[in-house]
């Protein structure tokens, strides 16, 4: 049995495996520029962020109907559950769909067909977080928030993702203020490729409760001290960092030093179909390559539930935490 954990940094569009991409393409009459799943899997060996993003957006063309989004989420939840994920807070990128003519309602209701039954079908509790594409305008993000209003019963919070450099958090100040006024939780990617200052901005200007990635905080000792003092959770994604060359090798990943410094780290998969593994694969990788002790792995699992947005179900959080404490490593 794998270590029970929550996944807090997961883009549902990034869980599209080549087999499902071809299945959905056939169902929707979309022609993919790849002969078969082998050739597509080969394309998944991209070399940098831009080639990843190009492929990522190209493949979204196969997602058209509610059923497509339902199937996508179900495929992820089945894989995550098999790797010990008990709770998942799932990102989606509405602008990547609305901009190609797929309506917000199709995306949210499609995902909900899966998420709404996830506890029964997969044994995984879920929350849904809507992300804004930071390389698009603040106005576009604000329109997206407006679009989402009829669906806010399904959405617990907002996030900020896509190409970070040159798109600082401050660009989205008004959008985050509006989201806060609607009672939405707030997270943002910061300090992945962008500088440590973006992490401080995400906290101070956007009021985020968790920082997605936050890896580059290690360059600023005063920032590390603040993150430790304020117990700000960081959603790290080690295999993603290696694939996107944010770190040179997994062995060079600062996770052990970050834990030693007292940072509240969690381990997540980001875009698992593209980055070489799901949540459990990331845990296995840091255990094997970074030599994390069982107590450190337990700490990561404990942090994932403490950092999750389960304030509306504290009883469930406590049950998960008890599972973590009772877990016996094989
Ligand atoms: Zn991400």
């Amino acid at each position: 049995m794998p270590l029970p954990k929550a996944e807090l940094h997961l883009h549902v569009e990034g869980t599209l495996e080549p087999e499902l991409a071809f299945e959905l393409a056939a169902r929707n009459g979309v022609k993919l520029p790849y002969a078969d799943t082998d050739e597509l899997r080969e394309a998944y060996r991209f070399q940098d962020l831009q080639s990843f993003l190009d492929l990522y957006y190209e493949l979204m063309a196969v997602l058209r109907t509610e059923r497509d989004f339902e199937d996508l989420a179900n495929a992820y939840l089945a894989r995550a559950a098999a790797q010990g994920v008990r709770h998942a807070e799932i990102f989606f990128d509405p602008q990547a769909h609305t901009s190609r003519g797929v309506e917000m309602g199709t995306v949210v209701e499609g995902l909900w067909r899966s998420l709404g039954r996830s506890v029964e079908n997969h044994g995984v509790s879920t929350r849904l977080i809507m992300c804004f594409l930071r390389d698009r305008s603040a106005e576009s993000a604000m329109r997206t928030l407006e679009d989402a209003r009829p669906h806010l019963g399904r959405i617990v919070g907002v996030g900020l993702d896509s190409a970070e450099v040159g798109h600082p958090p401050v660009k989205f100040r008004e959008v985050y203020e509006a989201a806060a006024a609607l009672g939405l939780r707030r997270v943002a990617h910061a300090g992945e490729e962008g500088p440590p200052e973006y992490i401080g901005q995400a906290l101070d200007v956007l009021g985020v409760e968790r920082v997605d990635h936050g890896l580059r905080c290690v360059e600023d000792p005063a920032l590390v001290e603040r993150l430790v003092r304020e117990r700000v959770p960081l959603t790290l994604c080690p295999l993603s960092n290696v694939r996107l060359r944010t770190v040179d090798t997994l062995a060079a990943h600062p996770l052990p030093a970050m834990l030693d410094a007292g940072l509240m780290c969690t381990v997540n998969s980001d875009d698992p179909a593209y980055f070489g593994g799901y949540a459990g694969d990331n845990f296995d990788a840091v255990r094997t390559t970074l030599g994390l002790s069982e107590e450190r792995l337990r700490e990561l699992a404990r942090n994932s539930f403490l950092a999750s947005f389960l304030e509306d179900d504290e009883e469930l959080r406590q049950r998960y935490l008890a599972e973590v404490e009772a877990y016996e490593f094989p």
Side-chain angles (χ1 to χ4, degrees):
M1 191 185 78
L3 177 64
K5 57 186 82 66
E7 175 140 74
L8 306 178
H9 185 156
L10 181 279
H11 304 269
V12 75
E13 294 90 348
T15 70
L16 182 61
E17 295 284 344
E19 293 72 21
L20 184 59
F22 269 94
E23 189 185 322
L24 298 182
R27 187 195 287 170
N28 292 319
V30 174
K31 181 95 179 76
L32 289 176
Y34 306 93
D36 52 30
T37 52
D38 288 342
E39 198 182 309
L40 179 53
R41 197 166 286 288
E42 202 54 43
Y44 277 38
R45 298 172 189 272
F46 47 82
Q47 292 304 318
D48 56 28
L49 178 65
Q50 198 52 55
S51 53
F52 158 63
L53 288 174
D54 290 347
L55 180 65
Y56 185 66
Y57 292 121
E58 177 181 46
L59 286 185
M60 282 188 202
V62 305
L63 295 162
R64 309 290 320 173
T65 67
E66 285 191 17
R67 190 176 150 212
D68 301 336
F69 287 96
E70 177 187 12
D71 289 352
L72 180 69
N74 273 331
Y76 160 68
L77 287 164
R79 285 173 181 269
Q83 296 200 355
V85 172
R86 307 284 285 113
H87 176 75
E89 304 198 343
I90 298 176
F91 296 145
F92 72 110
D93 285 324
Q95 288 154 295
H97 309 299
T98 53
S99 63
R100 54 188 183 83
V102 177
E103 286 180 18
M104 174 74 81
T106 303
V107 183
V108 177
E109 296 310 315
L111 292 173
W112 195 256
R113 279 162 57 157
S114 166
L115 271 51
R117 288 194 289 266
S118 176
V119 172
E120 299 89 299
N121 290 345
H122 304 285
V124 180
S125 54
T126 60
R127 298 290 183 273
L128 191 56
I129 297 175
M130 175 175 80
C131 287
F132 306 114
L133 298 177
R134 70 197 308 152
D135 43 2
R136 301 205 187 168
S137 68
E139 293 71 32
S140 172
M142 193 65 100
R143 277 197 304 277
T144 302
L145 183 61
E146 281 300 317
D147 270 7
R149 271 177 179 265
H151 310 285
L152 289 184
R154 312 270 198 240
I155 297 169
V156 72
V158 296
L160 191 61
D161 62 11
S162 199
E164 184 183 7
V165 175
H167 303 284
V170 66
K171 177 176 161 185
F172 297 93
R173 179 199 298 268
E174 285 78 19
V175 184
Y176 270 66
E177 284 171 359
L182 290 168
L184 292 164
R185 313 295 294 263
R186 287 162 288 167
V187 300
H189 286 48
E192 178 191 17
E193 289 195 309
E197 299 81 72
Y198 284 16
I199 298 172
Q201 254 185 40
L203 293 167
D204 295 329
V205 179
L206 305 185
V208 303
E209 300 169 76
R210 294 196 298 249
V211 174
D212 295 314
H213 291 295
L215 192 68
R216 289 189 60 193
C217 73
V218 296
E219 296 167 28
D220 180 348
L223 177 61
V224 169
E225 197 181 302
R226 175 188 179 180
L227 295 171
V228 170
R229 194 175 58 243
E230 298 180 6
R231 298 273 293 153
V232 178
L234 307 178
T235 64
L236 301 171
C237 307
L239 292 177
S240 160
N241 295 152
V242 174
R243 290 302 299 276
L244 294 179
R245 309 280 168 91
T246 315
V247 296
D248 291 333
T249 62
L250 188 58
H253 200 284
L255 174 63
M258 294 172 82
L259 287 167
D260 287 345
L263 286 163
M264 191 176 187
C265 300
T266 65
V267 162
N268 309 269
S269 68
D270 207 1
D271 298 287
Y274 297 88
F275 296 154
Y278 288 76
D281 301 316
N282 273 271
F283 269 77
D284 289 347
V286 298
R287 179 182 202 177
T288 310
T289 307
L290 297 174
L292 290 192
S293 67
E294 290 177 0
E295 274 323 294
R296 281 302 196 203
L297 295 167
R298 198 188 305 277
E299 176 185 348
L300 289 169
R302 187 186 300 127
N303 287 349
S304 71
F305 292 112
L306 291 173
S308 67
F309 292 153
L310 275 169
E311 280 75 8
D312 56 359
D313 198 344
E314 280 298 339
E315 201 186 307
L316 182 61
R317 192 204 308 268
Q318 293 310 319
R319 214 158 61 227
Y320 288 146
L321 285 168
E323 279 182 37
V324 171
E325 300 314 323
Y327 182 74
E328 291 181 28
F329 287 88

